[in-house]
Amino acid sequence: MADIEQARATFAKFDADGDGLVTPDEFKHAMAEMGDHLVTGPMAEAVIKAKDSDDDGLMSFDEFWTSAQG
């Protein structure tokens, strides 16, 4: 995902409350809305943890952007 504006739009789909952070619950819900109903709570937590560089349990846009870059 090379285009930062496209990345912001994608991130916004996950950031349900618009606070700039994605929780595991928001991630799980967004994945279900996109058709992936197999994402469980623990799976969502693992995905967020893998991208969470500051260990706050949330994924910021910067963390999302960094992970999208490769």
Side-chain angles (χ1 to χ4, degrees), residues 1-2 4 6 14 18-19 21-22 26 28 32 42-44 47 51 56 59-60 68 70:
M1 191 176 307
I4 196 165
Q6 180 184 2
F14 291 92
D19 68 352
L21 299 167
V22 176
E26 286 176 317
K28 179 182 172 199
M43 288 171 69
V47 169
K51 298 175 186 318
D56 64 357
M59 178 175 55
S60 68

Side-chain angles (χ1 to χ4, degrees), residues 33-62:
E33 284 189 350
M34 290 186 266
D36 190 346
H37 299 281
L38 300 177
V39 174
T40 64
M43 288 171 69
E45 288 174 15
V47 169
I48 296 297
K49 184 175 182 169
K51 298 175 186 318
D52 180 19
S53 61
D54 63 4
D55 294 322
D56 64 357
L58 306 167
M59 178 175 55
S60 68
F61 176 76
D62 289 339

Side-chain angles (χ1 to χ4, degrees), residues 1-30:
M1 191 176 307
D3 183 322
I4 196 165
E5 292 310 314
Q6 180 184 2
R8 288 187 195 284
T10 301
F11 183 81
K13 292 178 184 178
F14 291 92
D15 183 16
D17 62 8
D19 68 352
L21 299 167
V22 176
T23 67
D25 285 339
E26 286 176 317
F27 183 85
K28 179 182 172 199
H29 182 74

